[in-house]
Amino acid sequence: MLVGGRGVPLWSRCVRLLSPHCAEAPSSLRAAAAVRCHPGRTFNTGSCRLLQSRGPSGTETAIGTAGKLVRNGGDKKAVICIEGNIASGKTTCLEYFSKTSNIEVLTEPVSKWRNVRGHNPLALMYQDPKRWGITLQTYVQLTMLDRHLSSVSAPVRMMERSIFSAKYIFVENLFRSGKMPEVDFAVLSEWFDWITTNISIPVDLIVYLQTSPQTCYERLKQRCREEEKVIPLEYLESIHHLYEDWLIKQTSFPLPAPVLVIPADHDLQNMLHQYEENRDKILAGSCLL
Ligand SMILES: Nc1ncnc2c1ncn2[C@@H]1O[C@H](COP(=O)(O)OP(=O)(O)O)[C@@H](O)[C@H]1O
Ligand SMILES: Nc1ccn([C@H]2C[C@H](O)[C@@H](COP(=O)(O)O)O2)c(=O)n1
């Protein structure tokens, strides 16, 4: 295992734990404070509760000491985000860990993205990204925020992706590829900046399932989700490069947490073995299990 390595070649079999370049990132899963990864800005939201409220889907929030909205009781729970390209095996990984007691698993709300009051913004986005990209990504941002803020029922929460990858990977990809008008990108960016400035979204560890785009392409075809039949290999390559820049090279956007890299091109049995081998590293430091 290499700790804190950068730019290590792809597809190596070893697992790596990379620290965020940002000096203010949470130091361990025990971190009680929610910290934003921006130079010179640290928000400690771990203690005082001034106001409390309960929203839809069991969201319980309070105002913390820094004036940020915080999830009630969130300071005592570890949050692990599983990140990776489309069809890299995130859901399969979460299914594996869902069998562990004391771990709560939250998959991406894809069913909502496929059906919001009878509409399918995911399908619309793939059909005409210029027109519907903003529609899907606005809804993704809302539903991911809802996931982050929903009340935690176990000492450890493992969730599929995050509000951060929604913005840094998918919105960014639409914009950079010329499939999102500048005004749509500006509006989404304003929303994202407001949310991350005013709401505490603590993440303690990112587990990056690192795959080749080709592997994802094959798994995508095998999964055969109707909306995704139009996805070309080039799309997965773009998503891959954005993930690598963010989580491996660490040259694009701030990291909300340290990154554990798990090479994920291997067959299912091998992957399950790797998950078992890395169980302690993934859950390390929570002091709650
Ligand atoms: N290690 C693996 N080897 C082969 N197929 C896999 C592996 N992991 C997942 N799959 C299959 O690939 C497809 C995508 O996996 P999934 O877990 O849904 O990915 P994601 O949640 O990242 O989109 C599914 O059909 C799944 O059964
Ligand atoms: N911000 C996002 C997040 C996901 N998507 C798309 C990509 C896939 O088609 C689908 C679900 O992703 P998976 O869990 O299979 O990796 O949603 C998006 O367009 N924007």
Side-chain angles (χ1 to χ4, degrees):
M1 182 188 75
L2 299 171
V3 178
R6 291 181 61 197
V8 178
L10 265 183
W11 333 134
S12 61
R13 282 181 59 92
C14 66
V15 173
R16 290 168 288 148
L17 185 61
L18 307 180
S19 305
H21 288 173
C22 161
E24 295 155 0
S27 57
S28 81
L29 294 172
R30 275 177 284 111
V35 178
R36 271 203 76 199
C37 194
H38 287 287
R41 297 180 72 191
T42 304
F43 299 95
N44 187 331
T45 55
S47 50
C48 177
R49 296 278 179 275
L50 301 179
L51 274 174
Q52 292 192 328
S53 67
R54 183 187 284 274
S57 62
T59 307
E60 282 183 55
T61 52
I63 304 294
T65 45
K68 268 193 166 189
L69 197 65
V70 297
R71 192 185 63 225
N72 203 9
D75 51 347
K76 299 180 206 79
K77 319 282 182 165
V79 179
I80 300 155
C81 292
I82 310 295
E83 293 284 357
N85 207 335
I86 303 168
S88 55
K90 300 178 298 299
T91 309
T92 309
C93 169
L94 285 167
E95 268 169 24
Y96 179 73
F97 282 102
S98 70
K99 293 170 192 134
T100 307
S101 57
N102 287 337
I103 298 181
E104 166 192 73
V105 158
L106 290 185
T107 52
E108 262 178 337
V110 181
S111 59
K112 290 188 176 185
W113 307 343
R114 300 173 92 181
N115 183 0
V116 50
R117 303 186 186 199
H119 301 276
N120 186 340
L122 184 68
L124 290 169
M125 193 273 297
Y126 281 123
Q127 282 160 25
D128 186 354
K130 268 197 175 151
R131 169 65 185 85
W132 298 109
I134 177 100
T135 309
L136 174 70
Q137 295 304 334
T138 303
Y139 195 47
V140 168
Q141 192 156 263
L142 172 68
T143 53
M144 289 309 298
L145 179 63
D146 186 57
R147 278 284 198 268
H148 282 288
L149 294 181
S150 64
S151 38
V152 188
S153 61
V156 175
R157 161 173 287 181
M158 284 183 104
M159 60 184 282
E160 188 173 8
R161 293 215 179 96
S162 59
I163 196 168
F164 302 103
S165 55
K167 177 65 167 61
Y168 300 155
I169 307 294
F170 287 91
V171 173
E172 188 69 19
N173 184 51
L174 283 166
F175 179 58
R176 282 196 200 178
S177 60
K179 292 186 187 119
M180 176 174 280
E182 212 167 320
V183 61
D184 290 358
F185 182 73
V187 169
L188 271 171
S189 299
E190 286 290 311
W191 265 112
F192 179 79
D193 290 349
W194 189 92
I195 288 167
T196 50
T197 300
N198 291 288
I199 303 176
S200 167
I201 304 172
V203 176
D204 297 290
L205 181 71
I206 291 175
V207 175
Y208 175 39
L209 301 186
Q210 189 182 43
T211 49
S212 69
Q214 186 63 43
T215 297
C216 291
Y217 191 56
E218 280 152 26
R219 291 179 188 169
L220 186 87
K221 282 191 283 184
Q222 179 195 325
R223 178 170 67 190
C224 210
R225 202 181 261 158
E226 191 57 39
E227 294 87 344
E228 296 173 343
K229 286 183 178 165
V230 295
I231 296 181
L233 177 61
E234 294 71 43
Y235 188 78
L236 299 175
E237 285 171 345
S238 305
I239 298 288
H240 173 74
H241 291 306
L242 283 162
Y243 261 119
E244 293 286 302
D245 289 348
W246 181 39
L247 299 180
I248 303 292
K249 296 181 194 149
Q250 301 180 13
T251 50
S252 55
F253 299 104
L255 283 177
V259 183
L260 179 71
V261 187
I262 301 186
D265 275 337
H266 311 294
D267 64 33
L268 197 53
Q269 207 175 354
N270 188 312
M271 289 313 301
L272 298 185
H273 181 67
Q274 284 208 67
Y275 295 144
E276 202 44 51
E277 271 194 335
N278 284 287
R279 173 183 291 276
D280 288 349
K281 244 173 267 150
I282 293 170
L283 304 175
S286 73
C287 292
L288 295 164
L289 289 178

